Amino acid sequence: MGFAGNGINAAHLYRSIDAGAHWSNISSNLPDAPANSVVVDPNDANTLYVAMDTGVYVTTEVTTCTTANCWSIYGTGLPNAPVVELAAAPAMPTGDGRTGELRAGTYGRGLWQIPLVTAAIAAQPIISLNPTSVIFNGQSIGTASATQTITVTNTGLAPLTVSLVAVTGDFNETDNCTAAPIAINVTCTIQVSFLPTATGA
C-alpha cells in the first residue's frame, strides 16, 4: 500500500529479482490511491495485476516499470469501490473457449471476474485438407474414373476425430480417417472417384 499526501510520497509497489536483497519501485503511473493486492499472472511472470482503491491495473512488461509508464486500467464495469483482493484461476473456463480468469473482490460490492490477459485458447484439433477440391475430367456414363486423393492433416493441438466422410451425387469415396482419432500432425487420406449415371455437369 502506498500513496501521496500530507507531505508523504510512498510507493505503491516494489519488485525484487534477487530474493529480496534489492528492491525497485515499479509504481510508475499507478494512481495516487492505496494498493491492496497484487497477483503475478500464472502464465507469464512479466504480467502483473494490482488491486487498488480505484480499480484493477495491469502491466505486461513489469521489467520496464522502473523507467517508464507501464500500467493500464484493466477491464470495465467494476463498481466505484476499492478492490481489496485479487486471485488468478488459470484453469477456469472464460465462457468463450479460453481458460484463465482473474477474480477481484471489492469492498462491500461482491466478487467480479474477467479473463486473464494471457487466457489460453483450449487445445483443439484443426483439420487441413490438401487439395481442398478436386476436378474430374469427362467420364463415360457407368464407368468409374481414376481415384483422386485428398490428404487430411490434423494441424491442431488435440486429437482430431472424424466420425463420417460423406459424398453426394455421382461420387464414391474410401478413407482411413474414421477408424481412430488422428493424432497431432498425423495424416489420413480420402480416395474419391467419379461414377456418372447421366450426362451433364
Side-chain angles (χ1 to χ4, degrees), residues 7-182:
I8 299 172
N9 189 6
H12 298 81
L13 198 59
Y14 287 91
R15 170 178 179 257
S16 175
I17 58 173
D18 56 11
H22 300 89
W23 293 90
S24 300
N25 180 0
I26 59 170
S27 302
S28 64
N29 63 313
L30 286 172
D32 185 22
N36 306 308
S37 178
V38 64
V39 166
V40 177
D41 192 296
N43 301 317
D44 177 22
N46 285 321
T47 300
L48 261 64
Y49 309 89
V50 61
M52 304 190 71
D53 277 8
T54 55
V56 176
Y57 291 77
V58 65
T59 180
T60 57
E61 294 292 337
V62 72
T63 55
T64 67
C65 291
T66 56
T67 57
N69 290 342
C70 66
W71 296 98
S72 301
I73 190 78
Y74 192 50
T76 59
L78 275 173
N80 189 17
V83 181
V84 295
E85 187 71 34
L86 292 176
M92 178 177 288
T94 61
D96 61 3
R98 298 179 294 161
T99 57
E101 288 277 327
L102 178 71
R103 289 182 165 177
T106 60
Y107 184 76
R109 295 298 298 273
L111 185 68
W112 299 73
Q113 66 184 28
I114 187 171
L116 295 166
V117 170
T118 60
I121 296 173
Q124 298 178 6
I126 298 173
I127 191 169
S128 174
L129 305 176
N130 184 28
T132 56
S133 64
V134 291
I135 298 173
F136 290 93
N137 294 324
Q139 186 70 30
S140 298
I141 293 173
T143 63
S145 70
T147 59
Q148 295 194 43
T149 301
I150 299 172
T151 301
V152 178
T153 306
N154 178 9
T155 59
L157 299 174
L160 169 67
T161 299
V162 178
S163 57
L164 175 68
V165 177
V167 293
T168 59
D170 296 341
F171 299 93
N172 292 322
E173 73 83 22
T174 58
D175 67 83
N176 61 351
C177 296
T178 59
I182 305 164

